């Protein structure tokens, strides 16, 4: 049974596609790509159908990641097929939990940086959209740091299903 993870930010052109691409690479490196499906979406539909922000693409490519992406809006009906919904900041967390049809679905929503022990109390990944490329670099650093802990948690869930 496939384990499904969806990363969610505001418009699905900066943070969540970056997290999707990085985590998909981690899943493949761990040999779990046949068992774990990774995608992303936005809380809003402003950019639906658009590609990732060119700065997101540039930062990912500069760091060895391939990026093919089309923005879409998160739909409450998706909770039924998702195992984990990863919010990029606390605003997304609250919005997603409000959208959740059941309490069980609301419990599927987690903050990305909660998987990074070094993050401390600051669990939001800042929105780089209105800034320069430095914000995108910082976003990538935060995503990569959290991906290690997230991969360990997902691996544990996947292995728990197989047992």
């Amino acid at each position: 049974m496939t384990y499904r993870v969806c990363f969610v930010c505001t418009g699905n052109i900066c943070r969540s596609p970056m997290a999707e691409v990085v985590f998909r690479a981690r899943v493949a490196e761990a040999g779990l790509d046949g068992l774990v499906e990774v995608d992303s979406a936005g809380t809003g539909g402003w950019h639906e159908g658009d590609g990732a922000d060119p700065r997101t693409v540039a930062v990912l490519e500069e760091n060895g990641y391939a990026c093919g992406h089309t923005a879409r809006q998160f739909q409450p009906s998706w909770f039924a097929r998702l195992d984990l919904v990863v919010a990029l900041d606390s605003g997304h967390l609250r919005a997603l939990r409000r959208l959740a049809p059941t309490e069980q679905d609301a419990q599927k929503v987690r903050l990305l940086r909660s998987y990074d022990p070094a993050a401390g109390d600051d669990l939001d990944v800042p929105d780089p959209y209105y800034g320069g490329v430095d914000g995108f670099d910082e976003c990538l650093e935060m995503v990569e740091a959290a991906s290690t802990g997230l991969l360990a948690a997902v691996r544990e869930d996947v292995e728990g299903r197989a047992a």
Side-chain angles (χ1 to χ4, degrees), residues 60-128:
L60 285 168
E61 288 177 349
E62 287 168 12
N63 287 278
Y65 298 100
C67 183
H69 175 74
T70 303
R72 61 196 187 132
Q73 184 174 1
F74 188 88
Q75 301 299 317
S77 62
W78 297 356
F79 276 106
R81 67 174 176 82
L82 293 170
D83 297 288
L84 183 62
V85 180
V86 184
L88 276 288
D89 72 28
S90 54
H92 306 131
L93 178 82
R94 287 188 300 275
L96 289 161
R97 286 190 173 161
R98 281 193 304 270
L99 284 175
T102 68
E103 182 57 34
Q104 183 180 6
D105 289 327
Q107 293 306 310
K108 295 178 181 180
V109 184
R110 298 276 192 271
L111 281 168
L112 175 64
R113 292 194 72 209
S114 68
Y115 294 97
D116 179 2
D121 293 333
D122 184 11
L123 299 181
D124 287 352
V125 176
D127 187 351

Side-chain angles (χ1 to χ4, degrees), residues 113-145:
R113 292 194 72 209
S114 68
Y115 294 97
D116 179 2
D121 293 333
D122 184 11
L123 299 181
D124 287 352
V125 176
D127 187 351
Y129 185 76
Y130 294 104
V133 74
D134 289 353
F136 288 82
D137 288 328
E138 179 185 22
C139 180
L140 179 60
E141 288 173 19
M142 290 178 176
V143 165
E144 287 179 329

Side-chain angles (χ1 to χ4, degrees), residues 10 13 22 25 36 54-55 63 68 71 90 94 132 140-141 147 150 158 163:
T10 305
I13 60 169
V22 168
V36 179
R55 297 166 293 180
N63 287 278
S90 54
R94 287 188 300 275
L140 179 60
E141 288 173 19
S147 290
L150 176 57
V158 168

Side-chain angles (χ1 to χ4, degrees), residues 11-13 17 45-53 68-72 129:
N12 193 218
I13 60 169
W46 310 279
H47 299 287
E48 259 188 316
D50 295 345
D53 185 290
H69 175 74
T70 303
R72 61 196 187 132
Y129 185 76

